[in-house]
């Protein structure tokens, strides 16, 4: 089990729900929703965008890492629940400015892992500069571009998952 550093402990402890709401107010959430909805018309992927402000102390003490939590959220948000297993989760741990992207098995081989890593790097850099709206919308636009190229829409292209982002804590 990894040790919990004091810096990480205080990063989570000092993060407030107000800070999360300031970074992702309703207007930003709507902009993200619109970018997801517009992009999903061009591909068969289903994007879920989830922001979690911070974690409970128990998760930190248990040594949970961002990938473990992203996998939990993947299931809780039912990202796997699509006809072609074409769900994509963009998970953000806001207080640490960390991002994890998880692609369901239908997308897994279609897009190179390095491209998803590039999305994470760009989004993390934007967050560190305080550019939450621009960074998020550009990351979703980039994901839409990748999915359009590698997993284009067909005549029957239902919207299987909600487009509205999920903002926790």
């Amino acid at each position: 089990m990894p040790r919990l550093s004091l810096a990480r402990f205080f990063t989570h402890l000092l993060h407030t729900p107000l800070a999360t709401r300031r970074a992702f107010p309703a207007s930003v959430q709507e902009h993200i929703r619109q970018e997801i909805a517009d992009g999903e018309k061009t591909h068969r992927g289903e994007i879920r965008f989830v922001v979690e402000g911070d974690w409970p102390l128990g998760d930190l003490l248990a040594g949970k890492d961002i990938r473990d939590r992203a996998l939990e959220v993947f299931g809780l948000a039912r990202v796997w629940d699509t006809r072609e297993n074409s769900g994509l989760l963009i998970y953000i741990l806001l207080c640490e400015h960390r991002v994890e992207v998880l692609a369901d098995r239908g997308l897994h081989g279609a897009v190179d892992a390095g491209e998803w890593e590039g999305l994470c790097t760009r989004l993390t850099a934007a967050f560190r500069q305080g550019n939450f709206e621009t960074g998020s919308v550009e990351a979703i636009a980039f994901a839409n571009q990748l999915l359009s190229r590698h997993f284009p829409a067909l005549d029957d292209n239902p919207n299987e998952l909600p487009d509205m982002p999920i903002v926790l804590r």
Side-chain angles (χ1 to χ4, degrees), residues 73-90:
V73 170
F74 190 90
L76 292 170
R78 300 180 62 101
V79 178
W80 52 267
D81 195 15
T82 63
R83 181 174 55 191
E84 293 187 69
N85 297 308
S86 59
L88 178 72
L89 173 67
I90 301 173

Side-chain angles (χ1 to χ4, degrees), residues 30-66:
E30 176 56 27
H31 195 181
I32 290 168
R33 185 205 63 76
Q34 190 62 55
E35 187 67 33
I36 291 170
D38 290 346
E40 285 182 353
K41 294 173 186 169
T42 67
H43 58 76
R44 298 186 323 272
E46 291 290 327
I47 298 173
R48 291 303 330 246
F49 188 90
V50 178
V51 177
E52 193 159 28
D54 62 280
W55 290 345
L57 180 59
D59 289 346
L60 293 171
L61 292 173
K64 185 178 287 187
D65 69 14
I66 190 166

Side-chain angles (χ1 to χ4, degrees), residues 12 20 40 43 55-56 60 134-136 147 149:
H12 284 262
T20 304
E40 285 182 353
H43 58 76
W55 290 345
L60 293 171
T134 302
S136 298
L147 292 169
R149 186 174 347 128

Side-chain angles (χ1 to χ4, degrees), residues 6-148:
L6 279 177
R8 188 172 194 217
F9 171 77
F10 281 112
T11 297
H12 284 262
L13 181 68
L14 297 175
H15 186 86
T16 66
L18 179 59
T20 304
R21 285 193 305 274
R22 281 187 180 153
F24 289 92
S27 61
V28 171
Q29 291 180 47
E30 176 56 27
H31 195 181
I32 290 168
R33 185 205 63 76
Q34 190 62 55
E35 187 67 33
I36 291 170
D38 290 346
E40 285 182 353
K41 294 173 186 169
T42 67
H43 58 76
R44 298 186 323 272
E46 291 290 327
I47 298 173
R48 291 303 330 246
F49 188 90
V50 178
V51 177
E52 193 159 28
D54 62 280
W55 290 345
L57 180 59
D59 289 346
L60 293 171
L61 292 173
K64 185 178 287 187
D65 69 14
I66 190 166
R67 183 153 183 90
D68 292 338
R69 179 61 179 153
L71 285 166
E72 287 177 16
V73 170
F74 190 90
L76 292 170
R78 300 180 62 101
V79 178
W80 52 267
D81 195 15
T82 63
R83 181 174 55 191
E84 293 187 69
N85 297 308
S86 59
L88 178 72
L89 173 67
I90 301 173
Y91 172 79
I92 291 121
L93 178 55
L94 187 59
C95 71
E96 292 186 18
H97 295 154
R98 296 192 54 211
V99 178
E100 187 74 23
V101 174
L102 297 177
D104 202 354
R105 63 186 175 269
L107 297 177
H108 187 67
V111 180
D112 182 62
E115 293 185 281
W116 297 132
E117 289 171 20
L119 183 150
C120 292
T121 300
R122 291 165 57 172
L123 191 50
T124 300
F127 285 178
R128 289 190 195 286
Q129 295 174 350
N131 297 327
F132 301 106
E133 181 173 11
T134 302
S136 298
V137 171
E138 287 178 357
I140 293 164
F142 182 71
N144 283 326
Q145 212 174 33
L146 290 175
L147 292 169
S148 295

